[in-house]
């Protein structure tokens, strides 16, 4: 009985991977929709990072985890903060799901961004790079994303 169970699971996995390879099921697209200032204190600054997950598939899914890093980009990348969410998030079928993630960043990075904005003709840029873990019941797929936004 145990052997039959593993064969059935293997067949299902091969079937799902075949459908994904043929293009019937596509990976949802993840993009940064917004970076907004939430709170400023002496120890740090909180920004809301908005992510939009666009699922064009006829079935919904569940995100198990979202992780990302925030960088100041001014010729070189300066690490500002890290965001992570471990709670399950339902992703709608044939639609977009928006997730807002509060992220604590260092005031040193904010001061550097302000200085760059004042001293340069170029506006400072914030880069958000990470991945979402999409749960497909039998296995998970990590979907990377990266976006750079002028502030």
């Amino acid at each position: 009985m145990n052997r039959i169970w593993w064969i059935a699971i293997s067949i299902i996995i091969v079937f799902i991977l075949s459908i994904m390879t043929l293009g019937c099921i596509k990976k949802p697209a993840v993009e940064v929709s917004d970076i907004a200032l939430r709170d400023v204190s002496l120890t740090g600054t909180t920004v809301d990072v908005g992510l939009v997950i666009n699922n064009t598939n006829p079935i919904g899914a569940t995100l198990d985890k979202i992780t990302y890093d925030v960088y100041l980009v001014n010729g070189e990348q300066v690490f500002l903060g890290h965001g992570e969410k471990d709670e399950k998030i339902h992703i709608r079928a044939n639609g977009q799901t928006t997730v807002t993630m509060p992220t604590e960043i260092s005031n040193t990075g904010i001061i550097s961004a302000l200085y760059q904005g004042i001293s340069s003709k170029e506006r400072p840029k914030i880069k958000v790079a990470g991945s979402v873990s999409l749960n497909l019941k039998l296995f998970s797929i990590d979907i990377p994303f990266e976006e750079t936004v002028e502030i």
Side-chain angles (χ1 to χ4, degrees):
M1 179 72 177
N2 197 13
R3 184 172 183 219
I4 294 173
W5 178 250
W6 283 110
I7 291 172
I9 289 174
S10 298
I11 291 171
I12 291 170
I13 290 173
V14 169
F15 177 73
I16 290 172
L17 290 174
S18 299
I19 290 174
M20 289 178 71
T21 304
L22 294 173
C24 296
I25 295 178
K26 297 179 182 174
K27 283 186 181 180
V30 181
E31 61 184 52
V32 178
S33 64
D34 190 27
I35 299 175
L37 183 65
R38 175 187 271 202
D39 185 40
V40 178
S41 69
L42 292 174
T43 58
T45 299
T46 304
V47 294
D48 286 336
V49 176
L51 300 176
V52 174
I53 298 101
N54 187 17
N55 182 13
T56 58
N57 297 305
I59 57 171
T62 301
L63 289 182
D64 284 336
K65 187 176 190 178
I66 301 172
T67 60
Y68 60 91
D69 293 323
V70 180
Y71 301 92
L72 172 66
V73 180
N74 59 355
E76 62 183 65
Q77 293 186 68
V78 178
F79 177 77
L80 296 178
H82 176 78
E84 193 167 312
K85 194 171 209 168
D86 283 330
E87 66 188 59
K88 296 192 181 307
I89 300 167
H90 177 71
I91 304 302
R92 291 190 304 233
N94 292 319
Q96 295 182 336
T97 303
T98 302
V99 179
T100 301
M101 310 230 343
T103 307
E104 184 80 21
I105 60 175
S106 72
N107 280 345
T108 307
I110 294 293
I111 292 168
S112 179
L114 290 173
Y115 176 74
Q116 178 188 353
I118 293 169
S119 65
S120 173
K121 293 178 183 173
E122 207 174 283
R123 292 179 66 182
K125 296 176 185 154
I126 298 289
K127 174 181 164 184
V128 179
S131 68
V132 297
S133 180
L134 185 64
N135 183 339
L136 297 175
K137 303 292 183 208
L138 299 175
F139 58 94
S140 292
I141 298 174
D142 285 338
I143 303 170
F145 63 90
E146 181 177 308
E147 192 150 344
T148 303
V149 180
E150 283 187 348
I151 56 172

PDB file of all heavy atoms in Angstrom, residues 68-85:
ATOM      1  N   TYR A  68      12.554  39.510   1.693  1.00  0.00           N
ATOM      2  CA  TYR A  68      13.192  40.469   0.796  1.00  0.00           C
ATOM      3  C   TYR A  68      14.161  41.345   1.571  1.00  0.00           C
ATOM      4  O   TYR A  68      14.104  41.437   2.796  1.00  0.00           O
ATOM      5  CB  TYR A  68      12.147  41.338   0.082  1.00  0.00           C
ATOM      6  CG  TYR A  68      11.302  42.138   1.039  1.00  0.00           C
ATOM      7  CD1 TYR A  68      11.667  43.426   1.419  1.00  0.00           C
ATOM      8  CD2 TYR A  68      10.142  41.600   1.583  1.00  0.00           C
ATOM      9  CE1 TYR A  68      10.901  44.144   2.311  1.00  0.00           C
ATOM     10  CE2 TYR A  68       9.384  42.309   2.471  1.00  0.00           C
ATOM     11  CZ  TYR A  68       9.763  43.584   2.833  1.00  0.00           C
ATOM     12  OH  TYR A  68       9.018  44.297   3.728  1.00  0.00           O
ATOM     13  N   ASP A  69      15.058  41.978   0.823  1.00  0.00           N
ATOM     14  CA  ASP A  69      15.999  42.942   1.368  1.00  0.00           C
ATOM     15  C   ASP A  69      15.786  44.271   0.662  1.00  0.00           C
ATOM     16  O   ASP A  69      15.418  44.310  -0.518  1.00  0.00           O
ATOM     17  CB  ASP A  69      17.442  42.477   1.168  1.00  0.00           C
ATOM     18  CG  ASP A  69      17.769  41.238   1.998  1.00  0.00           C
ATOM     19  OD1 ASP A  69      17.269  41.143   3.128  1.00  0.00           O
ATOM     20  OD2 ASP A  69      18.514  40.376   1.509  1.00  0.00           O
ATOM     21  N   VAL A  70      16.043  45.352   1.387  1.00  0.00           N
ATOM     22  CA  VAL A  70      15.890  46.704   0.846  1.00  0.00           C
ATOM     23  C   VAL A  70      17.269  47.344   0.812  1.00  0.00           C
ATOM     24  O   VAL A  70      18.013  47.289   1.800  1.00  0.00           O
ATOM     25  CB  VAL A  70      14.931  47.554   1.714  1.00  0.00           C
ATOM     26  CG1 VAL A  70      14.776  48.947   1.148  1.00  0.00           C
ATOM     27  CG2 VAL A  70      13.573  46.865   1.846  1.00  0.00           C
ATOM     28  N   TYR A  71      17.616  47.943  -0.345  1.00  0.00           N
ATOM     29  CA  TYR A  71      18.921  48.570  -0.541  1.00  0.00           C
ATOM     30  C   TYR A  71      18.745  50.000  -1.035  1.00  0.00           C
ATOM     31  O   TYR A  71      17.809  50.295  -1.776  1.00  0.00           O
ATOM     32  CB  TYR A  71      19.742  47.816  -1.599  1.00  0.00           C
ATOM     33  CG  TYR A  71      19.999  46.378  -1.283  1.00  0.00           C
ATOM     34  CD1 TYR A  71      19.135  45.386  -1.728  1.00  0.00           C
ATOM     35  CD2 TYR A  71      21.118  46.005  -0.552  1.00  0.00           C
ATOM     36  CE1 TYR A  71      19.374  44.048  -1.444  1.00  0.00           C
ATOM     37  CE2 TYR A  71      21.365  44.666  -0.263  1.00  0.00           C
ATOM     38  CZ  TYR A  71      20.494  43.698  -0.718  1.00  0.00           C
ATOM     39  OH  TYR A  71      20.727  42.373  -0.443  1.00  0.00           O
ATOM     40  N   LEU A  72      19.685  50.865  -0.661  1.00  0.00           N
ATOM     41  CA  LEU A  72      19.829  52.174  -1.270  1.00  0.00           C
ATOM     42  C   LEU A  72      20.814  51.991  -2.415  1.00  0.00           C
ATOM     43  O   LEU A  72      21.881  51.401  -2.234  1.00  0.00           O
ATOM     44  CB  LEU A  72      20.373  53.192  -0.259  1.00  0.00           C
ATOM     45  CG  LEU A  72      20.747  54.557  -0.833  1.00  0.00           C
ATOM     46  CD1 LEU A  72      19.504  55.282  -1.333  1.00  0.00           C
ATOM     47  CD2 LEU A  72      21.465  55.381   0.213  1.00  0.00           C
ATOM     48  N   VAL A  73      20.463  52.467  -3.603  1.00  0.00           N
ATOM     49  CA  VAL A  73      21.329  52.318  -4.770  1.00  0.00           C
ATOM     50  C   VAL A  73      21.792  53.697  -5.203  1.00  0.00           C
ATOM     51  O   VAL A  73      20.985  54.551  -5.568  1.00  0.00           O
ATOM     52  CB  VAL A  73      20.583  51.623  -5.934  1.00  0.00           C
ATOM     53  CG1 VAL A  73      21.481  51.471  -7.135  1.00  0.00           C
ATOM     54  CG2 VAL A  73      20.035  50.282  -5.494  1.00  0.00           C
ATOM     55  N   ASN A  74      23.082  53.925  -5.129  1.00  0.00           N
ATOM     56  CA  ASN A  74      23.670  55.184  -5.606  1.00  0.00           C
ATOM     57  C   ASN A  74      25.035  54.892  -6.203  1.00  0.00           C
ATOM     58  O   ASN A  74      26.048  55.365  -5.738  1.00  0.00           O
ATOM     59  CB  ASN A  74      23.757  56.228  -4.477  1.00  0.00           C
ATOM     60  CG  ASN A  74      24.593  55.749  -3.305  1.00  0.00           C
ATOM     61  OD1 ASN A  74      25.038  54.619  -3.277  1.00  0.00           O
ATOM     62  ND2 ASN A  74      24.801  56.619  -2.336  1.00  0.00           N
ATOM     63  N   GLY A  75      25.049  54.069  -7.221  1.00  0.00           N
ATOM     64  CA  GLY A  75      26.303  53.596  -7.786  1.00  0.00           C
ATOM     65  C   GLY A  75      26.711  52.294  -7.110  1.00  0.00           C
ATOM     66  O   GLY A  75      27.126  51.348  -7.737  1.00  0.00           O
ATOM     67  N   GLU A  76      26.590  52.248  -5.808  1.00  0.00           N
ATOM     68  CA  GLU A  76      26.798  51.030  -5.035  1.00  0.00           C
ATOM     69  C   GLU A  76      25.528  50.753  -4.233  1.00  0.00           C
ATOM     70  O   GLU A  76      24.695  51.628  -4.063  1.00  0.00           O
ATOM     71  CB  GLU A  76      27.997  51.179  -4.101  1.00  0.00           C
ATOM     72  CG  GLU A  76      27.832  52.286  -3.077  1.00  0.00           C
ATOM     73  CD  GLU A  76      29.064  52.455  -2.215  1.00  0.00           C
ATOM     74  OE1 GLU A  76      30.099  52.836  -2.762  1.00  0.00           O
ATOM     75  OE2 GLU A  76      28.953  52.194  -1.006  1.00  0.00           O
ATOM     76  N   GLN A  77      25.406  49.540  -3.768  1.00  0.00           N
ATOM     77  CA  GLN A  77      24.233  49.173  -2.983  1.00  0.00           C
ATOM     78  C   GLN A  77      24.562  49.226  -1.492  1.00  0.00           C
ATOM     79  O   GLN A  77      25.568  48.680  -1.069  1.00  0.00           O
ATOM     80  CB  GLN A  77      23.775  47.758  -3.324  1.00  0.00           C
ATOM     81  CG  GLN A  77      23.250  47.624  -4.727  1.00  0.00           C
ATOM     82  CD  GLN A  77      22.669  46.250  -4.953  1.00  0.00           C
ATOM     83  OE1 GLN A  77      21.647  45.916  -4.378  1.00  0.00           O
ATOM     84  NE2 GLN A  77      23.316  45.463  -5.787  1.00  0.00           N
ATOM     85  N   VAL A  78      23.695  49.897  -0.734  1.00  0.00           N
ATOM     86  CA  VAL A  78      23.839  49.970   0.710  1.00  0.00           C
ATOM     87  C   VAL A  78      22.619  49.274   1.321  1.00  0.00           C
ATOM     88  O   VAL A  78      21.483  49.677   1.054  1.00  0.00           O
ATOM     89  CB  VAL A  78      23.924  51.437   1.192  1.00  0.00           C
ATOM     90  CG1 VAL A  78      24.024  51.494   2.708  1.00  0.00           C
ATOM     91  CG2 VAL A  78      25.084  52.160   0.536  1.00  0.00           C
ATOM     92  N   PHE A  79      22.867  48.240   2.125  1.00  0.00           N
ATOM     93  CA  PHE A  79      21.784  47.490   2.761  1.00  0.00           C
ATOM     94  C   PHE A  79      21.056  48.386   3.752  1.00  0.00           C
ATOM     95  O   PHE A  79      21.670  49.027   4.602  1.00  0.00           O
ATOM     96  CB  PHE A  79      22.349  46.264   3.474  1.00  0.00           C
ATOM     97  CG  PHE A  79      21.319  45.461   4.215  1.00  0.00           C
ATOM     98  CD1 PHE A  79      20.465  44.614   3.528  1.00  0.00           C
ATOM     99  CD2 PHE A  79      21.194  45.558   5.585  1.00  0.00           C
ATOM    100  CE1 PHE A  79      19.514  43.866   4.209  1.00  0.00           C
ATOM    101  CE2 PHE A  79      20.248  44.821   6.279  1.00  0.00           C
ATOM    102  CZ  PHE A  79      19.410  43.978   5.582  1.00  0.00           C
ATOM    103  N   LEU A  80      19.718  48.449   3.635  1.00  0.00           N
ATOM    104  CA  LEU A  80      18.911  49.255   4.553  1.00  0.00           C
ATOM    105  C   LEU A  80      18.104  48.415   5.529  1.00  0.00           C
ATOM    106  O   LEU A  80      17.917  48.796   6.677  1.00  0.00           O
ATOM    107  CB  LEU A  80      17.947  50.151   3.768  1.00  0.00           C
ATOM    108  CG  LEU A  80      18.554  51.218   2.880  1.00  0.00           C
ATOM    109  CD1 LEU A  80      17.458  51.966   2.141  1.00  0.00           C
ATOM    110  CD2 LEU A  80      19.407  52.170   3.685  1.00  0.00           C
ATOM    111  N   GLY A  81      17.581  47.286   5.074  1.00  0.00           N
ATOM    112  CA  GLY A  81      16.747  46.489   5.964  1.00  0.00           C
ATOM    113  C   GLY A  81      16.291  45.198   5.317  1.00  0.00           C
ATOM    114  O   GLY A  81      16.498  44.964   4.131  1.00  0.00           O
ATOM    115  N   HIS A  82      15.639  44.371   6.134  1.00  0.00           N
ATOM    116  CA  HIS A  82      15.159  43.060   5.709  1.00  0.00           C
ATOM    117  C   HIS A  82      13.698  42.913   6.124  1.00  0.00           C
ATOM    118  O   HIS A  82      13.321  43.319   7.226  1.00  0.00           O
ATOM    119  CB  HIS A  82      16.005  41.963   6.371  1.00  0.00           C
ATOM    120  CG  HIS A  82      15.534  40.576   6.088  1.00  0.00           C
ATOM    121  ND1 HIS A  82      15.798  39.950   4.894  1.00  0.00           N
ATOM    122  CD2 HIS A  82      14.804  39.707   6.831  1.00  0.00           C
ATOM    123  CE1 HIS A  82      15.260  38.732   4.925  1.00  0.00           C
ATOM    124  NE2 HIS A  82      14.648  38.574   6.089  1.00  0.00           N
ATOM    125  N   GLY A  83      12.901  42.348   5.247  1.00  0.00           N
ATOM    126  CA  GLY A  83      11.505  42.088   5.564  1.00  0.00           C
ATOM    127  C   GLY A  83      11.185  40.623   5.375  1.00  0.00           C
ATOM    128  O   GLY A  83      11.732  39.965   4.493  1.00  0.00           O
ATOM    129  N   GLU A  84      10.285  40.118   6.222  1.00  0.00           N
ATOM    130  CA  GLU A  84       9.914  38.710   6.138  1.00  0.00           C
ATOM    131  C   GLU A  84       8.513  38.524   6.706  1.00  0.00           C
ATOM    132  O   GLU A  84       8.149  39.141   7.699  1.00  0.00           O
ATOM    133  CB  GLU A  84      10.915  37.884   6.940  1.00  0.00           C
ATOM    134  CG  GLU A  84      10.830  36.419   6.692  1.00  0.00           C
ATOM    135  CD  GLU A  84      12.030  35.683   7.246  1.00  0.00           C
ATOM    136  OE1 GLU A  84      13.174  36.116   7.008  1.00  0.00           O
ATOM    137  OE2 GLU A  84      11.795  34.666   7.911  1.00  0.00           O
ATOM    138  N   LYS A  85       7.742  37.690   6.038  1.00  0.00           N
ATOM    139  CA  LYS A  85       6.390  37.373   6.507  1.00  0.00           C
ATOM    140  C   LYS A  85       6.194  35.874   6.341  1.00  0.00           C
ATOM    141  O   LYS A  85       6.317  35.343   5.244  1.00  0.00           O
ATOM    142  CB  LYS A  85       5.367  38.159   5.680  1.00  0.00           C
ATOM    143  CG  LYS A  85       3.991  38.190   6.256  1.00  0.00           C
ATOM    144  CD  LYS A  85       3.129  39.176   5.489  1.00  0.00           C
ATOM    145  CE  LYS A  85       2.069  39.727   6.405  1.00  0.00           C
ATOM    146  NZ  LYS A  85       1.388  40.862   5.835  1.00  0.00           N
TER     147      LYS A  85
END
